[in-house]
Amino acid sequence: MKGSKLISLVGISMSMTLNAVNPIEGGQFKDRILPMQGSTQKNPGEEIWGASGVQNRFTDNGAENPDLSFWGGDIHTDSNGKYYMFIAGWDSKSRAHSYWSNSDIYYVTADNVWGPYTKVSNIGKGHNPSLFIAKDGTFVVYALIGNSSAWRYTSDSVEGPWKFESMPLDLRGRALSTGSVTTYSNWTFAQRPDGSIYCLDRGGAVWISEDGLSPFENTLGSSCYPNGGGGSFEDPVVWKDEFQYHMIVNDWKAKIAYYSRSKDGFTWVHETGTAYDTSVAVHPDGTPEEWFKFERPRVFQDQYGRATQLNMAVIDVEKGEDLAGDNHSSKNIVLPLNPGLRMTVLNEEAISTSTSNIKVRVYKEPGFDPTTDLDLTSLRFGKYSVVNEGKGASVVSSEADSDGNLVLTFSGSDTGIQSDEFAPKLIGKYSKEYINPATPTAKPGGMCFGYARLPYIDYTPEYISPSIPSIGEGSKLISVNVKNFGLKASSGNSIKVLSSSNKLLATGSVSSLNPYQSADVELESSLAIPAGAESLKIEIYKNDKLVSTHDIRLEEVVKARKKLLTLIAEVNEYLESASYKYGKDELRSVLEASDSAASSSCISEIDKVCDTLLKALNNFKFANASGKRPVAITISNPQFDSTDGWDILHEGNAGGFQINNKNNKDYNKIGQSEFLEAYNGTGIICPNYARQSVDELPAGRYAFEADVIVQKGTAGGEGVSLFLGDNSVKCSSATANHSEHYSVECTLDKESSLLFGINIENSCNATWVAIDNATLLYYGDGSHDDDEILPDVNVRHYTIKAANSTLNNIHVYADSKSGTLKRCASQPEDTGIFSIITDNENKRIYMYNHATRSFVVPAVGNSAVWNISSEDAVCIGGLSKASTNINGYVIKGDPDSGNSYNFMNALRGFNAADRDGIGSYTQGDTGSEWLLTEVSGPSEYDTTAIINGRDQFIETLKLIPDITIDGETSSIVSNFIDNSSRSEDIHFYNIQGVEISPDSKGIMIIVNSNGSVTKRIQ
C-alpha cells in the first residue's frame, strides 16, 4: 500500500489460548486506575486531621481544607487551561458529617487537574453538585436540596452570577426509581451528540432534556443498574465518549463499584469485575491512602470524551464517627486513569464467528505512536467477556496507514463477536519502555486497552417512550401518548398495553416520529383494565421485536378513586349515626350505586359518581341541619393541603398566596401542617383573594369559619376580611404569630350559590396573612330546630387483620403481659376483639379490649410501638378508608399529632426487644392498611382501674343506650397520695358497694400506723 509500512509478525501464532483468568489485568475498570499525583505530605511532627491510615496522604491532591468537610465534586476545564470543581462543603469545626444535607456548594480552582483545589466562592445552598452545559451554552449546576428535591443554578459564565431555581421535571407516569423522594439525589449528566442532555438518577432511571433547560422527562423508569440494582446502589456517574456511554455505580454498603457500557444510554452491558474499591488510592511508591469509604465518583474527560481522571469523595472513618471539631473529616481525591486507545473497526459488514478477518485501526495521538508503542504480541481482540478472560483473537498482521495510524488484522473466528456486539474490546500491553505522557504515574510497558467503533452499528437510534394512557368508559383504553427520545426518526414501531398480571388489554401502531416529536397512538382495546388497577405495563416493539418495557402508574386514577373512597367513608359515617333522621334511604341508594366506581379506571366515570354522591350527601346534610346542630358542607381543600378548588387572584412566593408545607411551628390553630399564606416583609400583594363557591344551596342560615393570621410585622394588620356572600368580618391578629378564629354568617332566602373566602383589600398593610381550617356550616331553614337531638355515638366490635395480601398472617391482639399491641399468625380469641367507640358528640374515638380491660395507646414516630393500658383512657385519631385497598382502613394514632408516622402499621416499629410489636408508620404505606371484620361483642365496661381520662370516658359511655358501667362509683384514685412518697403502712383498697355522691371520683381508705382508719371521699 502506498504510504504505508508493513510490520512483520514472524513467529506469532494465529491465536493464543490462555488458562481462564477472570478477569485478567485490564478486564475490570479498576485496572485503569493509576497511582495518584501529588507532592505535599505532612512534615515530621506536623498534626493533620485524619485516621492513622491517611496520615501520609497527598494533602495537595484534590480538594482539602482544614476548616471544611468536602463531599462530592465535579471537575471541568476552561479554554485557558484552568481547572475548576463544584463541590459540596460545610464547616467541620462546628458541624458533624451528618450536616451534609445542609451543605453549601463551593466553586474551587486549580492549575492542574489533580489539584490542589482552593476555595474561591460559595454559590449557594446544595449538595452533590454536578455541572453540565446546556445546548445554548448555559452553565447548569445540579443541586440536591435537603435530600428531597432537585434544584439548579444557571449562569452565562462558570464564575456566575448564578440564578437558583427548581429543576423542571416530568415523571410521565412513572414511579420514582428508588421508590422514595431521594431519587432526586445524586444525579449524573452527559451531553448527547445533538446537544440534548442525558441524565441518570440515583435509582438508575433515564431522563432526557432536549436542551438541558427544558424539563427533564423520565423516559425509562426501570433501573439501568446491573441486575436491576438494589437498595444500596447509588452514586452513578455517566459519561459519553466518541461513540458509547459509560457508567459506574457504587454499592455503598459493600463499598464496591461496578462498570457498564451502552450504545444509546437505554440498554446496558454490565462488565464483570470491580470499578473501584477502597484499595485504589495509592501513591507512585506504593504507599496506600487507607480511606474508609469512597463515594460520589465523577470523571474528567479529554477532547474525545474519554475518562482520564476519576475523582471521589473520601472519608477517614464511618460517617457517624465524624463529629464536629474532631480529628476526622472528608475531602475529594483525584486518581489518574488509563484513557484507553482510540480504535475503529474497518469491516463494513456485520462481524460474526464466520468472519475470516477483522481489520481495526488504532489511531495515533500526541505522545503515542501505535506502530512503535504497542506490544503487538500481547494484544487480544474480541467480545468484551471473552477478552476480559484473557482469550480472543491475536494479531495476524499489521500495517501503518498514511496518517501514522496502525491497522491491525485479527482472525474473526476467535473473537466471540455476535450480532449484539456494539463495541468489541482490545487488551494488551504497551511496549516495554513506553509511558504515556498523559499518565506520568503509569509503569513502563503497562496495560493498554480500548473499545472499537463498529461502522455498521447505529449509535444514535430511535427510542420510543410511552406516557400515561387515556382511559374511557368501562375502563377501556382509548389512546396513549408516545415520544421519540432517540436521535433518529422512528419507523416500524408498535405498542402493547398489558395489565400488571400480563393480560393483553390493547394494541396500537406508532407512526413515524422525528426526534422529540410526540403523538397520540389510538389503541384497539380487547379487555377492560382490571378493577382497582394502579399501574399498566406498556411494551414497545420494533418490527415485531420487543425493545423496551415501561411500567406506567395510573396516578390520577388512583387519586380520583381515593377521593371517592374518602367520600364513601364520610357517607357511611353519617348513615351509621343515630343523630341524623331524614333522607337515609335516599342517600343509601345513591351510595350503593357508587360502590362499583371505586374500582374503575375511568376518571370521568369516577368524577361523575363523586359529584352525584356529594350532591346526595349535601342534600342529606341539608335535610338534617338545625340551629342546634349545624352540618358542615363539603368544600374543596378546607385544610389547604393544596390550592386545588380555590380561586386565587395572585399566587407566588413574593407576597402572593401559596401553600406553606414546610413549617413545623405552632401558630395556635395554624402550623404543624399545610396552610395558605401570603408573606412579604415589605408588604404582600394587594388586592388579592382566595375564594370558592358552592352551587344549589337551599334557603337557610350559613356560616363560614376559619383560623386566620393578619399581621404587619409583629402587630395586627388591616385590610383583610373573611367573607360569605355579601357579608364580611374584619380580621387582625391581637397577638403576634397567633391565629384567631373568625366566623361570618348570612341567610339565603331561596336556593342559590354562595361565594366565600378571604379578601385582601387594596389598602391592606399586612406583611403576613395566613388561613387554615376553613368550614362552611349550614344551620338549616328552622324547620328542625325543635327536634330532639340524639347523641352522636356508636359502638362496633372488630377483629383486625392486615389488608395487604402479602401480610395475610398478621392479626392484631392485646397482650396484657407485655402491655403492648401485638401481631400473631392466626386469629386470637377474645384478646383479638376490639370495641371502637366513636363519640362524634365530643370528638373522641376509643379502642378498647374487653378481655384485657385495656385501651389501645397509639404511638407516634417511626419505629414507635403501640401499647395498651388499663389505667389510661386514651383516644385514637380515628379510622378512614385506605388509599390502595378498597376494603381497607387506616387507623390513626394520636389525634393531636401532626407527625406523619402516626398510623398503626403491621411491619414498622419493631425494636430489638419486641419483634412482634405493632408500630407506627405513614398512612400511604400498605402495611398501615387493615381489614376490620365486625363481630358481636360485650357492652360492659369496667372503669375501676382507670386513672387518667376516666371522667371523659364515662361521659362518652353514658351516651350509649343500654350500657352497664361496672365500678363507676367505687374506683380508687391513686393521685390522692403520691405513691412514691407515701409510707409503707398506707394502703389503697378497692371498696365495692360503698355509696358516695355521683360527683365523687372514688373513695380512699387510709389505714394509719396506730390502727385507726381514715375514709376520704373525693
Side-chain angles (χ1 to χ4, degrees):
M1 185 193 318
K2 185 177 179 181
S4 66
K5 61 181 180 179
L6 181 65
I7 300 176
S8 176
L9 296 177
V10 178
I12 298 180
S13 62
M14 295 292 289
S15 65
M16 178 181 290
T17 301
L18 302 175
N19 292 329
V21 179
N22 189 18
I24 65 168
E25 184 182 11
Q28 55 184 343
F29 188 92
K30 177 182 174 181
D31 300 330
R32 308 178 198 177
I33 302 175
L34 301 172
M36 303 169 64
Q37 293 173 271
S39 60
T40 303
Q41 296 172 270
K42 73 171 185 177
N43 299 315
E46 181 184 359
E47 292 186 4
I48 58 175
W49 64 262
S52 59
V54 298
Q55 285 295 302
N56 289 325
R57 68 181 180 271
F58 285 139
T59 56
D60 61 344
N61 177 282
E64 178 175 335
N65 189 298
D67 299 322
L68 292 172
S69 290
F70 282 135
W71 202 249
D74 194 13
I75 300 174
H76 296 263
T77 188
D78 62 18
S79 57
N80 298 319
K82 181 177 70 175
Y83 298 88
Y84 57 88
M85 180 192 301
F86 289 91
I87 189 169
W90 59 94
D91 181 7
S92 62
K93 301 300 182 183
S94 63
R95 304 292 185 182
H97 188 90
S98 59
Y99 192 73
W100 64 266
S101 62
N102 298 291
S103 62
D104 292 330
I105 296 176
Y106 292 92
Y107 169 75
V108 296
T109 60
D111 294 328
N112 57 64
V113 70
W114 53 265
Y117 287 85
T118 56
K119 186 177 76 169
V120 172
S121 61
N122 181 329
I123 75 167
K125 285 288 181 184
H127 196 66
N128 291 350
S130 187
L131 171 72
F132 63 87
I133 300 176
K135 192 172 185 177
D136 68 354
T138 299
F139 291 88
V140 182
V141 177
Y142 154 86
L144 172 67
I145 301 296
N147 199 30
S148 62
S149 57
W151 292 69
R152 69 184 182 189
Y153 292 90
T154 58
S155 176
D156 294 333
S157 167
V158 74
E159 296 181 348
W162 297 95
K163 178 183 178 181
F164 181 62
E165 59 192 0
S166 178
M167 182 80 83
L169 309 170
D170 185 357
L171 275 164
R172 301 178 67 247
R174 289 159 176 80
L176 295 173
S177 59
T178 57
S180 73
V181 295
T182 54
T183 300
Y184 295 120
S185 65
N186 310 1
W187 283 21
T188 179
F189 304 88
Q191 190 173 69
R192 303 205 298 177
D194 67 342
S196 62
I197 302 298
Y198 174 98
C199 168
L200 201 68
D201 69 24
R202 182 179 185 266
V206 176
W207 305 64
I208 301 291
S209 170
E210 186 175 353
D211 56 12
L213 297 176
S214 59
F216 278 88
E217 298 179 74
N218 191 308
T219 65
L220 180 63
S222 56
S223 179
C224 293
Y225 294 159
N227 299 320
S232 59
F233 276 54
E234 65 167 5
D235 298 348
V237 58
V238 168
W239 68 99
K240 187 184 180 301
D241 61 22
E242 292 176 281
F243 64 94
Q244 67 174 333
Y245 293 82
H246 305 262
M247 170 177 60
I248 292 174
V249 61
N250 177 44
D251 181 344
W252 63 265
K253 188 176 292 185
K255 297 192 284 190
I256 295 175
Y258 302 96
Y259 170 68
S260 306
R261 296 179 295 109
S262 173
K263 69 175 182 179
D264 57 8
F266 297 104
T267 57
W268 291 83
V269 167
H270 309 297
E271 296 207 16
T272 57
T274 301
Y276 66 80
D277 54 29
T278 57
S279 69
V280 296
V282 178
H283 296 183
D285 64 0
T287 300
E289 293 188 3
E290 298 175 347
W291 296 100
F292 181 81
K293 183 170 283 190
F294 293 67
E295 292 187 356
R296 307 296 187 269
R298 288 293 182 266
V299 298
F300 178 80
Q301 298 172 253
D302 66 10
Q303 67 269 38
Y304 304 112
R306 294 175 299 184
T308 62
Q309 306 285 332
L310 174 68
N311 65 292
M312 290 180 284
V314 292
I315 188 169
D316 62 323
V317 291
E318 185 67 68
K319 293 178 181 179
E321 297 177 15
D322 179 11
L323 306 177
D326 65 4
N327 193 44
H328 303 297
S329 192
S330 55
K331 62 172 288 185
N332 187 280
I333 65 170
V334 182
L335 306 173
L337 293 174
N338 182 334
L341 307 174
R342 297 178 60 230
M343 305 191 306
T344 297
V345 170
L346 301 181
N347 299 48
E348 295 294 333
E349 295 184 0
I351 297 171
S352 67
T353 53
S354 62
T355 301
S356 57
N357 290 308
I358 303 172
K359 291 187 178 293
V360 180
R361 176 181 288 126
V362 181
Y363 290 95
K364 182 178 181 180
E365 300 182 54
F368 169 64
D369 185 344
T371 64
T372 60
D373 296 336
L374 290 175
D375 177 1
L376 300 186
T377 63
S378 69
L379 303 181
R380 297 294 178 271
F381 179 79
K383 183 178 178 64
Y384 76 94
S385 56
V386 172
V387 175
N388 287 347
E389 294 181 358
K391 303 175 185 178
S394 58
V395 177
V396 175
S397 64
S398 67
E399 59 182 350
D401 66 17
S402 58
D403 295 322
N405 305 313
L406 180 64
V407 178
L408 301 173
T409 300
F410 297 92
S411 170
S413 60
D414 299 319
T415 63
I417 295 175
Q418 298 174 335
S419 59
D420 60 349
E421 182 60 67
F422 62 88
K425 188 175 184 179
L426 179 143
I427 295 180
K429 290 186 178 296
Y430 290 106
S431 58
K432 187 175 181 180
E433 303 299 327
Y434 176 75
I435 296 178
N436 189 330
T439 58
T441 62
K443 295 179 180 179
M447 181 270 297
C448 70
F449 80 97
Y451 294 94
R453 181 179 188 132
L454 293 172
Y456 52 83
I457 292 294
D458 185 1
Y459 292 96
T460 57
E462 65 192 47
Y463 190 81
I464 303 299
S465 174
S467 186
I468 305 169
S470 175
I471 304 168
E473 294 183 1
S475 296
K476 291 291 190 76
L477 288 153
I478 298 174
S479 63
V480 61
N481 184 267
V482 299
K483 188 171 182 177
N484 182 9
F485 287 94
L487 302 178
K488 282 187 172 64
S490 66
S491 63
N493 296 107
S494 59
I495 192 168
K496 291 182 180 179
V497 184
L498 301 94
S499 69
S500 57
S501 60
N502 292 320
K503 289 183 179 179
L504 181 62
L505 305 178
T507 57
S509 297
V510 182
S511 60
S512 177
L513 298 174
N514 291 321
Y516 311 109
Q517 184 181 359
S518 63
D520 290 324
V521 176
E522 292 186 5
L523 297 174
E524 183 177 343
S525 179
S526 54
L527 289 175
I529 298 172
E534 297 185 7
S535 64
L536 297 173
K537 186 183 297 184
I538 300 181
E539 296 178 340
I540 304 296
Y541 290 79
K542 171 75 171 179
N543 298 326
D544 297 326
K545 180 181 178 181
L546 178 64
V547 293
S548 64
T549 301
H550 305 259
D551 290 321
I552 302 296
R553 295 187 305 168
L554 303 178
E555 189 174 49
E556 293 303 315
V557 172
V558 172
K559 185 177 179 181
R561 287 193 201 127
K562 185 176 180 179
K563 177 183 175 182
L564 177 57
L565 285 170
T566 301
L567 182 57
I568 288 173
E570 183 182 359
V571 169
N572 277 316
E573 287 180 7
Y574 278 100
L575 289 174
E576 290 176 0
S577 175
S579 300
Y580 298 88
K581 310 173 185 178
Y582 307 102
K584 282 191 174 183
D585 290 340
E586 292 85 348
L587 179 59
R588 189 173 287 109
S589 65
V590 177
L591 175 64
E592 290 171 354
S594 304
D595 283 344
S596 61
S599 59
S600 172
S601 294
C602 178
I603 293 178
S604 61
E605 283 184 342
I606 299 171
D607 287 345
K608 184 177 180 180
V609 169
C610 252
D611 292 342
T612 301
L613 185 57
L614 179 59
K615 184 176 181 180
L617 176 59
N618 278 336
N619 287 337
F620 173 79
K621 292 178 180 180
F622 298 151
N624 286 275
S626 70
K628 296 177 182 179
R629 172 162 288 167
V631 294
I633 305 303
T634 302
I635 62 176
S636 297
N637 281 308
Q639 301 301 319
F640 294 100
D641 56 353
S642 75
T643 58
D644 291 349
W646 290 93
D647 175 23
I648 296 177
L649 181 61
H650 295 293
E651 294 189 62
N653 58 8
F657 275 124
Q658 63 176 351
I659 300 298
N660 185 326
N661 57 8
K662 298 180 180 179
N663 201 302
N664 59 1
K665 295 181 180 179
D666 186 2
Y667 304 117
N668 191 19
K669 300 297 182 180
I670 291 181
Q672 304 294 335
S673 60
E674 296 88 349
F675 59 91
L676 185 70
E677 70 171 359
Y679 175 78
N680 191 307
T682 59
I684 61 176
I685 295 175
C686 305
N688 203 357
Y689 54 70
R691 65 190 186 186
Q692 62 177 281
S693 64
V694 178
D695 298 329
E696 300 180 22
L697 292 176
R701 185 162 62 97
Y702 292 85
F704 175 56
E705 301 180 355
D707 297 309
V708 180
I709 293 175
V710 179
Q711 288 183 206
K712 179 184 179 182
T714 58
E718 297 178 353
V720 178
S721 58
L722 212 63
F723 70 92
L724 177 65
D726 294 330
N727 297 340
S728 65
V729 60
K730 293 182 178 180
C731 306
S732 182
S733 296
T735 304
N737 303 330
H738 189 277
S739 67
E740 303 288 346
H741 190 76
Y742 295 92
S743 177
V744 55
E745 292 190 5
C746 79
T747 299
L748 294 180
D749 296 329
K750 60 181 180 179
E751 182 180 295
S752 164
S753 62
L754 197 54
L755 187 69
F756 56 91
I758 188 168
N759 185 54
I760 300 176
E761 300 171 4
N762 194 45
S763 59
C764 174
N765 67 354
T767 56
W768 184 28
V769 172
I771 181 172
D772 202 1
N773 308 317
T775 305
L776 180 63
L777 297 173
Y778 177 56
Y779 288 86
D781 58 5
S783 60
H784 298 319
D785 287 357
D786 296 330
D787 286 0
E788 178 186 0
I789 302 298
L790 299 176
D792 192 359
V793 63
N794 63 71
V795 181
R796 298 285 187 274
H797 311 289
Y798 299 100
T799 60
I800 303 174
K801 176 185 176 182
N804 187 338
S805 60
T806 61
L807 309 175
N808 56 12
N809 64 333
I810 295 180
H811 300 260
V812 181
Y813 72 101
D815 182 20
S816 57
K817 184 176 180 180
S818 65
T820 61
L821 208 60
K822 288 195 172 184
R823 67 180 193 162
C824 59
S826 60
Q827 177 60 55
E829 296 180 358
D830 48 0
T831 57
I833 298 176
F834 297 87
S835 293
I836 297 182
I837 308 162
T838 304
D839 179 3
N840 293 316
E841 193 78 16
N842 297 298
K843 294 182 173 57
R844 302 179 194 133
I845 302 178
Y846 297 93
M847 253 179 106
Y848 184 83
N849 188 275
H850 290 270
T852 58
R853 299 183 178 183
S854 60
F855 295 87
V856 172
V857 181
V860 175
N862 193 4
S863 297
V865 177
W866 286 43
N867 298 310
I868 61 173
S869 174
S870 299
E871 298 180 346
D872 302 300
V874 180
C875 289
I876 65 170
L879 299 177
S880 59
K881 274 287 188 180
S883 59
T884 60
N885 190 298
I886 294 175
N887 300 313
Y889 287 83
V890 293
I891 302 175
K892 187 176 181 181
D894 183 353
D896 297 322
S897 174
N899 194 316
S900 60
Y901 296 95
N902 193 20
F903 293 85
M904 195 172 91
N905 187 280
L907 288 179
R908 310 284 179 169
F910 302 157
N911 54 44
D914 187 10
R915 289 287 178 184
D916 56 353
I918 299 293
S920 271
Y921 204 60
T922 62
Q923 181 175 4
D925 186 86
T926 55
S928 297
E929 299 182 355
W930 303 94
L931 297 177
L932 305 182
T933 302
E934 190 166 356
V935 296
S936 60
S939 295
E940 295 185 356
Y941 297 86
D942 186 349
T943 65
T944 304
I946 301 176
I947 297 172
N948 299 310
R950 179 176 180 275
D951 290 347
Q952 292 84 355
F953 182 59
I954 290 177
E955 182 182 22
T956 290
L957 293 183
K958 287 180 176 179
L959 298 175
I960 304 172
D962 303 322
I963 194 162
T964 300
I965 307 172
D966 181 23
E968 178 186 352
T969 60
S970 59
S971 61
I972 304 304
V973 182
S974 64
N975 60 1
F976 292 359
I977 294 180
D978 182 59
N979 285 327
S980 62
S981 62
R982 69 181 175 87
S983 60
E984 293 183 358
D985 57 351
I986 298 180
H987 305 278
F988 290 88
Y989 295 88
N990 183 8
I991 308 300
Q992 297 289 344
V994 178
E995 293 184 3
I996 57 178
S997 68
D999 296 328
S1000 299
K1001 294 181 178 178
I1003 182 170
M1004 181 177 69
I1005 304 296
I1006 302 175
V1007 182
N1008 301 311
S1009 58
N1010 61 4
S1012 62
V1013 175
T1014 301
K1015 179 173 70 174
R1016 182 183 306 168
I1017 295 176
Q1018 179 165 323

